[in-house]
Amino acid sequence: MRRSLVALSGLLAGLLGLAIPQTAAQEETQFPPVAIAVVTAVTPDQQAGRTTVALDGSRSFDPSGSIAKYEWEVMTEAYANLPVAHSPADADNDIPAGRTATFVLLDRTLADRGVHSVEFRLTVTDDGRPAASSSTTVVANINHGPTAEITVTAKLPAPRSQQLTGFDDNGNGVVDENEERYTVEGVIAGPGENDNLDYEWDIREGTLLVVDGSASSDPDGPLPASAFSWTRLYHSDVASVTASLPGDTDGVRSLSTDEDPDVVGSTTSETVGRLPFVRGNIADPYYLYYQLTVTDGHGATSTAVVKIVVRDAHDNPTVEILHPESDPDASTAADRREGIQPAGENRYLISPETAEDPVILTAVGTGDGSARTRLLKHTWSGPALEPDEDNRPGARTTAVFTAPEGFREGDSFVISVEVVDSSEFSGSTSVELVIAENLAPIALAPDDIDTPDGTNGGFPVSDPPSGRVELNGLGFDPDNDDMTFRWEQVRNSAGDELLATYRGPRLSLAGADTDTASFPLPEVTTGTRYIVYVQFTATDSWGVSDSDVVEIIIHDGDDDLRAIAGVDQRVSSGSFVRLRGRINSGLISDAAIASVSYEWAYVGIETLPRTEHRPAITEAEADEGFTAGEWFPNDDGSYSPTAGGRLKTVSGRYPYFDAPRLHGFNSVKLIFTLTVGGVTGQQDHTDTVAVTVVGGYFSGVIDGPDYCANRSLGGPATYPVDSDKDGVADICALDTTRRAAIARQNALERLAVINPDDFEAALHGPPDDPDTDADESDRTKGTCYSAPKDLPGDTAEALEADSCGPKGVRDRRVSSPPAPIDPAKAGLFFSGPVITGPAFCTNLGLGGQPLYALDRDGDGIADTCSLAYTRREAVARHNALEAAFADHPQFPAALAAACTALGTLDFGDSPAALAADRCSRPTTPQPGQPLPTAPN
């Protein structure tokens, strides 16, 4: 323990005093900076008679250093004598002056000179020696102009085994490459995720990439294709990346690596090519910067910038152990596997007779690329196992298992194999071999079924139709073993698993774990039919199964027009949201389908806390432009169908909006309706969808006002917050992110280890306190004396023995910090509907190592989130840490070290909150500087 304390003290001292000089190489300018200027807002103030233009140069960057100077100038001659106000420098965060700027234009000046747009020039200078500069211009339109907006999609091709050649899944008569061949998500992280900037996208190499400006808009009407212009601002010098997207492109709304959607692409012609492998976990990424300029018919412009980061994706090798074989020389698979039954995933039953002879095990490894596969090294392990002497690096190796003498029925043996590629990436698997005499069960599904769809059909046939299909399976076991049953939808009569790209109806099976299941019939378009397959599986007590598949043909009935508003969404505050409408009907002709009208309306809001606990519209929301009738109701309780103009393209299938940044709420639910109609002989139909906007902190199931004190650290900083006064805690506190709270707690604990005397004094009072030996009622020093005595869950014996008990007070005892969680057991914790895993306390409480779930009896179930102390001592300990070290001179350095140690761990905080917390904005340590708090 002493050695650990010395090492910890040395680490902190190093963090406080270490300074690393710059090398000569760092002082050289390798590349000039890239200037990027954006107009973020043009705000008219009619009462004051002026318009304010907000300018932002923060997207500028230097590939080989950092920006040291920003300088803004007015280039429009009519206003060249007017000043641009540069933002002040921020020395604490190493931000020079002028990264943002404002320009104020008086209405009378505008009227005198009659020029309605102002051009600005931004010049940035880097910190190199000698310094290098670059400039760019941007135009602000005083009148209403367009808004440029960029969206990004990236898709990887589906595995070859999953691609259904010639399958026209959306019925448009063409095998669409983009929709039907590229189905796997290729975006690694979007804006605001994993420390990305708000215009930055990380994508995997090999994707079909689309950079789309179609979401751009103009208040005066639709934008023609000629309004769009793209410029490639910067790219790293990699031909396979830069050749796949054009440089300067006018008159197109989107850029794509897909040259022709009707022609299957390759990694060299249409997708961002596979990058060269490097030794290690990840290659250096490659960058692309594009700027979109949108110009309306009056010459007003708007710009947006997107950064694409293309990352290598060297995958770990994989390995599987094939079905063991008792006679590898036999001519058929059944003969080769005689006496060996599969009994679940990676588990096999071996008959006692077969176990007496050698059983052959074969491992097949696959590396990331054929070269790596050829060099895979296999390591076998397990009892009674002998690897083949002829095994060599490559894809396939074998080993022999022979049951040891004296084995008994039911004996189990686990055999494992690990593969390692040339870059030291590894993968492993194992199989369990169980010796048992067993006859396999028999499963029988019903005969094939043909039925009308929806409410018109049903099986068995009934009057009136039930709208459901009932499936009765028969399971029989020759050994009279207990059996379990399972029904599941499969892809075909062979029982193959459904693919992610499956476009048919997905059945909702009830009673799937019994021998009798059922499902409601889906709707089918007129003139077509669905063929679906359901598999019935019977499994005996040893885990051996048998399956049978029933084919079900569902043909169309007489269907009415129905609106489908899409699935409910959960989005973060301020994010881009798109609604997706469609129809279900018996329409078949293109003309009839094209005649369907779509109309969206915003119809209400549900808030947490409820709006009666706060003003209808706060000052902050009013400053953002919100008024009655937009997200909030009018005085008569009605809502604008377009949410005050914030819901765009309400007469189309796919309207969109920016989720509001509403203040004072944990979450809001926005409710929209889609009404479809316009078809002769068909009635209009309406469906509803909800979008929940999450902001601030929210902690799911909270079961009472003392929740945080019971299951978390406790103390004033972490008592529950009950914002709507309903007696139920919304959150277990935190006035900052969970990540920053964890780092703060770890920093306080570290300072307590380094300064034990200060911590003891805070817990028990000064050593010379005359009240130390007095009655408890007289003790006024130390947090033990003010800690709550009535927290539920602490036994009298535990209170007697803790640090705040009589003996602990007499001896001035201070408990050691609790030991960290054992990573090997971290995944084993489970505590029913309340404590849902080892990170529960981290997610819903203060967090940090001392607060991981505690499992005193080792049964794999977390007893509590609340430490290895009594709750009283936990509260007293936390209050003592705050009292002794929150303003300590070493606290800023300790907090910086704790933030660094946490790295990029995500504890459930929003990207916006993470970007603003203390760990994301470190400051120069100042003696006595407290940790700032973020608003709730």
Side-chain angles (χ1 to χ4, degrees), residues 822-862:
D822 180 358
K825 297 181 179 179
L828 301 177
F829 293 109
F830 180 75
S831 294
V834 177
I835 301 178
T836 56
F840 177 84
C841 309
T842 301
N843 288 343
L844 306 186
L846 182 61
Q849 285 188 341
L851 289 177
Y852 279 118
L854 183 63
D855 180 17
R856 291 185 179 88
D857 57 1
D859 64 350
I861 297 178

Side-chain angles (χ1 to χ4, degrees), residues 525-542:
T525 303
T526 300
T528 63
R529 67 176 185 171
Y530 287 136
I531 301 178
V532 297
Y533 300 89
V534 180
Q535 179 172 272
F536 173 62
T537 300
T539 305
D540 68 15
S541 56
W542 287 103

Side-chain angles (χ1 to χ4, degrees), residues 669-707:
K669 180 184 292 185
L670 308 174
I671 302 171
F672 302 88
T673 60
L674 167 64
T675 300
V676 297
V679 179
T680 303
Q682 296 272 358
Q683 292 186 345
D684 293 356
H685 184 262
T686 300
D687 191 27
T688 301
V689 68
V691 177
T692 300
V693 184
V694 179
Y697 306 107
F698 180 72
S699 295
V701 179
I702 306 292
D703 61 358
D706 61 347
Y707 177 85

Side-chain angles (χ1 to χ4, degrees), residues 183-520:
T183 61
V184 179
E185 183 57 59
V187 175
I188 299 173
E193 300 174 350
N194 293 350
D195 296 327
N196 278 1
L197 301 172
D198 60 1
Y199 56 94
E200 180 177 6
W201 295 79
D202 287 3
I203 68 166
R204 286 178 57 130
E205 38 77 13
T207 64
L208 179 69
L209 174 66
V210 179
V211 182
D212 192 356
S214 301
S216 304
S217 60
D218 183 14
D220 300 325
L223 291 164
S226 60
F228 295 81
S229 176
W230 295 87
T231 303
R232 187 166 61 209
L233 299 176
Y234 174 82
H235 64 82
S236 52
D237 189 18
V238 180
S240 64
V241 176
T242 57
S244 61
L245 285 173
D248 303 328
T249 305
D250 295 334
V252 296
R253 295 178 184 269
S254 64
L255 308 180
S256 173
T257 57
D258 187 9
E259 298 173 358
D260 186 342
D262 297 332
V263 177
V264 174
S266 69
T267 56
T268 57
S269 68
E270 294 187 1
T271 62
V272 175
R274 191 166 185 83
L275 305 183
F277 290 127
V278 298
R279 187 179 183 86
N281 290 329
I282 190 166
D284 292 334
Y286 301 122
Y287 300 95
L288 289 164
Y289 283 81
Y290 275 90
Q291 178 173 284
L292 169 63
T293 301
V294 179
T295 307
D296 67 12
H298 304 289
T301 64
S302 175
T303 60
V305 175
V306 65
K307 175 183 178 183
I308 304 295
V309 184
V310 185
R311 295 190 180 275
D312 199 352
H314 177 183
D315 296 325
N316 287 337
T318 60
V319 62
E320 65 172 329
I321 298 177
L322 304 181
H323 193 302
E325 296 183 339
S326 56
D327 182 6
D329 297 326
S331 59
T332 66
D335 291 337
R336 290 196 299 270
R337 301 168 181 175
E338 180 69 29
I340 304 174
Q341 296 176 332
E345 185 175 4
N346 292 332
R347 184 172 184 266
Y348 297 91
L349 288 190
I350 301 177
S351 69
E353 181 182 0
T354 303
E356 294 176 352
D357 297 323
V359 173
I360 308 302
L361 299 170
T362 302
V364 177
T366 303
D368 190 352
S370 59
R372 283 190 171 89
T373 297
R374 289 195 298 269
L375 298 175
L376 286 178
K377 297 178 181 179
H378 294 232
T379 301
W380 288 86
S381 61
L385 185 74
E386 186 67 31
D388 193 318
E389 294 180 354
D390 295 331
N391 286 340
R392 296 291 183 270
R396 182 181 294 256
T397 60
T398 60
V400 173
F401 167 80
T402 306
E405 293 184 7
F407 66 81
R408 295 179 299 179
E409 186 169 19
D411 284 352
S412 173
F413 305 89
V414 176
I415 307 299
S416 300
V417 64
E418 180 186 44
V419 292
V420 180
D421 69 12
S422 55
S423 297
E424 298 182 1
F425 282 58
S426 64
S428 63
T429 190
S430 62
V431 295
E432 181 186 8
L433 307 179
V434 181
I435 299 177
E437 192 70 59
N438 183 64
L439 295 175
I442 298 172
L444 294 175
D447 293 336
D448 294 345
I449 296 170
D450 190 322
T451 177
D453 69 346
T455 57
N456 302 305
F459 182 86
V461 178
S462 61
D463 188 14
S466 64
R468 299 184 67 86
V469 170
E470 294 184 3
L471 301 170
N472 295 313
L474 175 62
F476 170 74
D477 185 73
D479 301 318
N480 292 321
D481 291 341
D482 293 335
M483 288 190 297
T484 59
F485 305 103
R486 175 176 176 79
W487 294 88
E488 61 181 331
Q489 185 180 3
V490 291
R491 181 156 50 102
N492 51 33
S493 59
D496 293 333
E497 183 179 355
L498 280 185
L499 302 177
T501 55
Y502 174 72
R503 296 298 197 275
R506 291 184 179 267
L507 307 179
S508 178
L509 292 167
D513 57 353
T514 69
D515 58 356
T516 301
S518 65
F519 64 89

Side-chain angles (χ1 to χ4, degrees), residues 152-203:
V152 173
T153 58
K155 293 291 185 180
L156 290 160
R160 187 175 301 276
S161 62
Q162 297 183 11
Q163 295 175 19
L164 303 178
T165 303
F167 182 62
D168 177 20
D169 52 10
N170 60 9
N172 66 350
V174 177
V175 179
D176 306 294
E177 178 187 352
N178 297 12
E179 295 181 7
E180 297 169 2
R181 179 169 181 262
Y182 287 84
T183 61
V184 179
E185 183 57 59
V187 175
I188 299 173
E193 300 174 350
N194 293 350
D195 296 327
N196 278 1
L197 301 172
D198 60 1
Y199 56 94
E200 180 177 6
W201 295 79
D202 287 3
I203 68 166

